[in-house]
Amino acid sequence: MRVGVIGLGFRLGYLARVFSLARADFTVVGYVDPAPAGLPYTKQHGIDVGTQYQSLEAMLDDAKLDLLMVGSPNHLHLEHIRTGLARGLKIFTEKPVVSSIEDTMALAELLGEHGSDRVMVGLVLRYAPLYKDLRKAQA
């Protein structure tokens, strides 16, 4: 599975590692992020994140992806989801998927057009070690 990342922050850096451990065929082939905060984490854990691209369009033109992981700032999610769906990709996005009523309605139209099975929402912090420890302490 060839994966591209837009927004290589701490969460998607962590998920790149987790998904790589879970699936032998999970390969990040490129990312778009002017300041990839998750890059040191991926390097520390031996996860290759491929080529850094200057734009989402450049990565999509070059990388032949199976999955686009969206971890960009929340206000950009809809634009990045729209672009990925238009290119025929499956999308994994962090929450919040969108952050306004207008974007929610636009996303609903996109899902109606492209199918809801093409977009997956990650509740990534739910499984982070910090939150696991918190739930254990609460119990």
Side-chain angles (χ1 to χ4, degrees):
M1 171 185 294
R2 295 174 56 83
V3 179
V5 173
I6 183 154
L8 184 59
F10 297 116
R11 280 183 255 173
L12 288 192
Y14 171 74
L15 286 180
R17 177 177 176 240
V18 170
F19 290 170
S20 294
L21 293 171
R23 288 189 60 148
D25 68 339
F26 184 93
T27 305
V28 179
V29 296
Y31 67 96
V32 178
D33 193 320
L39 191 58
Y41 180 87
T42 60
K43 286 184 177 181
Q44 176 186 355
H45 293 281
I47 304 301
D48 183 6
V49 291
T51 303
Q52 181 177 22
Y53 291 91
Q54 296 303 307
S55 71
L56 176 56
E57 290 76 12
M59 180 170 66
L60 297 179
D61 287 344
D62 185 58
K64 296 182 179 129
L65 304 176
D66 300 307
L67 176 70
L68 176 63
M69 295 183 73
V70 177
S72 53
N74 296 341
H75 70 280
L76 298 173
H77 283 188
L78 181 62
E79 173 188 341
H80 296 151
I81 291 167
R82 179 182 287 123
T83 300
L85 288 173
R87 298 286 190 107
L89 295 173
K90 288 199 176 224
I91 309 294
F92 174 95
T93 184
E94 293 183 317
K95 69 173 189 70
V97 180
V98 293
S99 54
S100 72
I101 293 170
E102 295 79 17
D103 284 359
T104 300
M105 299 311 290
L107 179 62
E109 288 181 26
L110 284 171
L111 295 176
E113 180 182 340
H114 295 281
S116 61
D117 62 333
R118 303 257 314 277
V119 177
M120 298 170 280
V121 178
L123 305 172
V124 295
L125 288 181
R126 178 175 298 188
Y127 304 104
L130 171 68
Y131 289 94
K132 285 182 179 180
D133 292 344
L134 177 62
R135 286 193 305 271
K136 187 186 293 183
Q138 286 176 322

